[in-house]
């Protein structure tokens, strides 16, 4: 699943990129979590918006976080009826137990969606997490 991502990140670094973030919304966030915390795609930070991992996820079962482990940003709507916010909290808690430094923000009135506040918060985190 992540072979192509390893190659893309390597090519970006070859072309001068030194600070790479990987993430996505919903299923895209799920894939980013697998890439960063299961397949060790070497990025500086990971984010997952309105996303989660199931309790028996291979991220928890087949992971080795003894090396580099990027910090994680999670954002979620409190009124999300597709992916309940509690699922994201459980994902955060499990990853923190395994040594992942994380930050989670919830947004009142937001369902399974993005808005300006989510994106502003994400970019603020990206711009300060590497400092």
């Amino acid at each position: 699943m992540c072979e192509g991502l390893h190659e893309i990140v390597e090519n970006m670094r070859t072309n001068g990129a030194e600070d790479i973030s990987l993430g996505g919304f919903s299923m895209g966030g799920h894939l980013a979590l697998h890439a960063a915390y299961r397949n060790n795609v070497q990025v500086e930070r990971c984010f997952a918006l309105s996303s989660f991992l199931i309790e028996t996820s291979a991220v928890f079962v087949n992971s080795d976080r003894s090396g580099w482990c990027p910090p994680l940003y999670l954002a979620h709507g409190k009124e999300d009826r597709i992916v309940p916010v509690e699922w994201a909290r459980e994902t955060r808690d499990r990853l923190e137990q395994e040594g992942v430094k994380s930050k989670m923000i919830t947004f009142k009135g937001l369902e399974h969606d993005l808005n300006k506040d989510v994106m502003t918060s994400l970019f603020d985190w990206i711009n300060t997490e590497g400092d």
Side-chain angles (χ1 to χ4, degrees):
M1 171 177 85
C2 294
E3 292 79 18
L5 279 175
H6 284 288
E7 185 177 335
I8 289 169
V9 169
E10 184 177 314
N11 287 341
M12 290 173 68
R13 294 204 191 282
T14 299
N15 289 309
E18 297 176 1
D19 190 357
I20 301 171
S21 299
L22 177 66
F25 172 77
S26 196
M27 189 61 171
H30 178 88
L31 293 173
L33 293 169
H34 274 267
Y37 304 112
R38 177 180 175 208
N39 294 97
N40 298 314
V41 173
Q42 298 294 299
V43 294
E44 278 59 51
R45 64 194 67 73
C46 181
F47 63 90
L49 312 174
S50 297
S51 191
F52 75 105
L53 295 169
I54 63 171
E55 188 175 312
T56 58
S57 172
V59 171
F60 303 128
V61 176
N62 300 323
S63 61
D64 175 16
R65 278 180 266 296
S66 58
W68 169 244
C69 185
L72 172 64
Y73 175 88
L74 296 147
H76 216 94
K78 288 185 177 182
E79 281 72 43
D80 191 332
R81 293 175 289 173
I82 296 172
V83 178
V85 68
E86 188 54 39
W87 295 358
R89 286 188 184 110
E90 291 170 2
T91 296
R92 176 205 57 204
D93 293 348
R94 287 282 304 273
L95 287 170
E96 283 183 346
Q97 289 172 1
E98 296 189 17
V100 176
K101 177 184 170 188
S102 70
K103 177 177 183 175
M104 182 173 175
I105 306 288
T106 57
F107 294 86
K108 185 177 180 181
L110 187 65
E111 294 185 10
H112 193 71
D113 202 357
L114 298 174
N115 65 18
K116 180 181 176 184
D117 294 336
V118 172
M119 298 310 293
T120 299
S121 177
L122 170 63
F123 287 117
D124 288 345
W125 178 81
I126 288 172
N127 289 324
T128 60
E129 184 57 37
D131 296 344

